Amino acid sequence: MADPAIGETLVAKEDLQRRVAELGREVSRDYAGRELVMVGVLKGAVLFLADLMRSIDVPCEIDFMAVSSYGSQTDSSGVVRILKDLDASIEGRHVLIVEDIIDSGLTLHYLMRNLRARNPASLEVCALLTKPERLRVDLSPRYVGFEIPNRFAIGYGLDHAQRHRNLDYVAALAD
Ligand code: IMP
Ligand code: MG
């Protein structure tokens, strides 16, 4: 039986696969001759990161951060707490933050500031999804998979109350 929480498709499986492979090729081209540290933001970016790195052919390491932003279930406040920090130093490294979705941008804004203070050689962002209508800070991610409308998205790593991360496409949460 269809799950009533799963609404309309926002990004179909085939479009995800094609775009993620394309992003991987772009990253490989841009970082040619360099070594990359991909920082996945737990938990939502896990599926994206796993697929993305299969299309990257420069040497790359992965590390993870977990952050929680205080706020309601569907709205972040910009006050961010680090639940899990990186395992290794990023000083002098080329760092690419891999994020599932940029909504208000507050979480990423905080994360960029925090990581920049550790003196990486470079720091860029690769976000699978952005909601341009919701952006509240000045952020220009180097790589973006898809711009989506102002809907709460689930699937392909994205959750609502920890569920639906295992969908192989991105759907809107049914209202
Ligand atoms: P921001 O700080 O408002 O940009 O929100 C960032 C975080 O909130 C994302 O990394 C997600 O974990 C979560 N988030 C924001 N919008 C959505 C959504 O539509 N679906 C699932 N999670 C979301
Ligand atoms: Mg997230």
Side-chain angles (χ1 to χ4, degrees), residues 9-28:
T9 299
L10 295 178
V11 188
K13 181 181 173 179
E14 299 71 34
D15 296 326
L16 271 178
Q17 290 176 341
R18 182 185 40 77
R19 183 72 183 125
V20 172
E22 206 168 82
L23 287 171
R25 286 192 296 273
E26 275 181 50
V27 169
S28 302

Side-chain angles (χ1 to χ4, degrees), residues 125-144:
V125 173
C126 178
L128 178 67
L129 306 170
T130 62
K131 292 182 199 170
E133 276 175 64
R134 298 262 302 172
L135 194 63
R136 284 171 51 195
V137 291
D138 183 24
L139 264 188
S140 37
R142 173 89 175 256
Y143 310 95
V144 172

Side-chain angles (χ1 to χ4, degrees), residues 141-158:
R142 173 89 175 256
Y143 310 95
V144 172
F146 299 90
E147 295 188 345
I148 62 167
N150 184 11
R151 300 287 304 275
F152 196 83
I154 53 173
Y156 197 65
L158 293 144

Side-chain angles (χ1 to χ4, degrees), residues 41-44 67 69 73-78 80 99-108 131 134-135 139 148 151-154 158-160 165:
V41 184
L42 293 171
K43 303 167 187 164
V67 296
S69 96
Q73 208 172 41
T74 55
D75 255 309
S76 83
S77 62
V80 175
E99 181 53 308
D100 52 359
I101 187 164
I102 302 174
D103 185 57
S104 68
L106 290 165
T107 304
L108 199 56
K131 292 182 199 170
R134 298 262 302 172
L135 194 63
L139 264 188
I148 62 167
R151 300 287 304 275
F152 196 83
I154 53 173
L158 293 144
D159 73 302
H160 178 248
R165 294 192 197 275

